[in-house]
Amino acid sequence: MSIYKKLLSQTALYGLSTLVGRLLNYLLTPLLTSLFLPEEFGIISYFYAIISFANMLFTYGMETAYFYFSKKYNERDVFQTTYTGIVISSILFASTIIIFRQPISLVLNLQGYEHYFVLMAFILLFDTLSTIPFGALRLSDHVAKFVSIKMAGIIINIGFTLLFAFAWEQNNSSNHAMLRFMYQLAPLPLNARHIFIANVLSSGVVCLLLMKEISAIRFSINTSLWRESLLYALPLLIAGFAGMINETLDRILISYLIKPPQQALYQQGIYGACYKLSILMTLFIQAFRFAAEPFFFNRKNEQNEKQVFANVMKYFVILCSLIFLFVMLNLEWIKYFINNRYWEGLHVVPILLLANLFLGVYLYQGMWYKLSGKTRYGAYISLAGAVITLVLNFILIPIYGYTGAAYTTLVCYASMMIISYFLGTKHYPIQYDLGAISFYFILSILLFAGCHYALKQNVSVTLYHVLTTIALIAFGGVVYFRENKVLAK
């Protein structure tokens, strides 16, 4: 099997759990946006933004450090050291959140939701405890087990969410044993905390399913290896922390910069729901990262390593551009995955799709500083993005609301991609096919713009679908014939 086919097959396998799971969660969106008003959905979106932020602090780059040092030292020693350290720190962090939940809720403008922070702490704890074991499965190419456990957690999460939603439709006197259990677990009426309880249960089960990997290790720390791992991971923590500022701070700042508070939660709900419509781009990028990190660490120092890296970048951009084109040309029916009271935010979907495309290119391109051990540059780039995020959000959100947040995200990720490229040419030069990459990206934008213009001219629905089909076939045809010509040379 060629190396490209291997990477593609692993991306597909890792993507199976990500795609199917996120798709199932995605299919819950119509239900949740029907059950919850935008203000309540905004609470869910806000807390998950905080969880994403806190997750960086809990893991602090140790997964990548595990990949890196497993190639330098004994893999078992590296696993034991990184995992022991992360167990101790995650328990301390989770305890801190629970103990100080009241002042934290005041700082984050979430008074009255203190009990949610307890649930959040357990979600973060369980997810962190599974990070290194999942990394070990990826490094050893145990893709099937990785996918199976991920899928089990997702199905459990969705199952409990559906049970809570179904219980809400029943009355408290139900004779059904499962419904009585649900009432005891979390009293109704349904609200955001039920979503977090379902997440706690699923994350806890995932840890239990990974117990074979966890129980096989001896909890101990090699102090010199731990110190070296921390030095490697610290810039990644800074980069990750700054990255979370870029990814989630907009949803947090909406609470501070838009008044009154109910209007802020309303806008968070609209923004969070419309963000879900860019899920196909996010899914592909996440699945690709699962496969690409161990793939390139395992190929490190091979003769044609950089040429493979450059070729994969081109195909990555082609697929991202195709996803952008597909979603935007089919937004007229994709929008039905959220309730119509959220449709006022549909104009941010193309902005967020492009932002995530740029983020995907940056994340893949940013492998250069991980492979070369120059992780401090990841911190510099992410900090630059964080400054852009802070400045533009403070300027744009008070004026344009969540639309300003979307444009800030686009500018931030585009800037990080450009900065990473120029730093990479100096410290880890790779000859990307910039002509082909730019051509495919611009082609997808032009095809979308042409179809969008036709839609604005009030063409019939049938004619519009014909045009979108022609556009997708045209993009695929151009890629096929152009790349065949390149391979023929």
Side-chain angles (χ1 to χ4, degrees), residues 230-291:
L230 280 176
L231 289 173
Y232 176 87
L234 182 60
L236 294 178
L237 170 61
I238 297 170
F241 198 68
M244 279 300 111
I245 289 177
N246 303 329
E247 187 175 337
T248 63
L249 191 68
D250 51 359
R251 274 154 280 181
I252 295 173
L253 286 179
I254 285 172
S255 290
Y256 290 94
L257 300 178
I258 294 178
K259 305 297 180 185
Q262 281 300 104
Q263 176 63 19
L265 288 175
Y266 176 84
Q267 292 212 25
Q268 281 179 336
I270 299 292
Y271 188 49
C274 290
Y275 214 115
K276 287 184 177 291
L277 297 182
S278 64
I279 191 167
L280 281 179
M281 186 76 75
T282 308
L283 287 176
F284 173 69
I285 292 168
Q286 186 175 346
F288 184 81
R289 284 185 69 198
F290 276 139

Side-chain angles (χ1 to χ4, degrees), residues 99-111:
I99 293 167
F100 296 102
R101 60 187 181 276
Q102 282 208 302
I104 292 172
S105 67
L106 287 172
V107 170
L108 295 175
N109 203 23
L110 285 166
Q111 300 94 319

Side-chain angles (χ1 to χ4, degrees), residues 1 37 39 130 132 141 152 158 169 190 220 314 322 324 357 372 409 415 418 435 445 463:
M1 181 187 292
L37 293 172
E39 294 84 352
S130 65
I132 303 297
D141 282 342
I158 291 170
E169 297 292 340
L190 185 74
S220 64
K314 179 174 67 174
L322 180 60
F324 169 81
L357 189 155
S372 62
T409 303
S415 302
I418 294 168
I445 298 294
L463 179 56

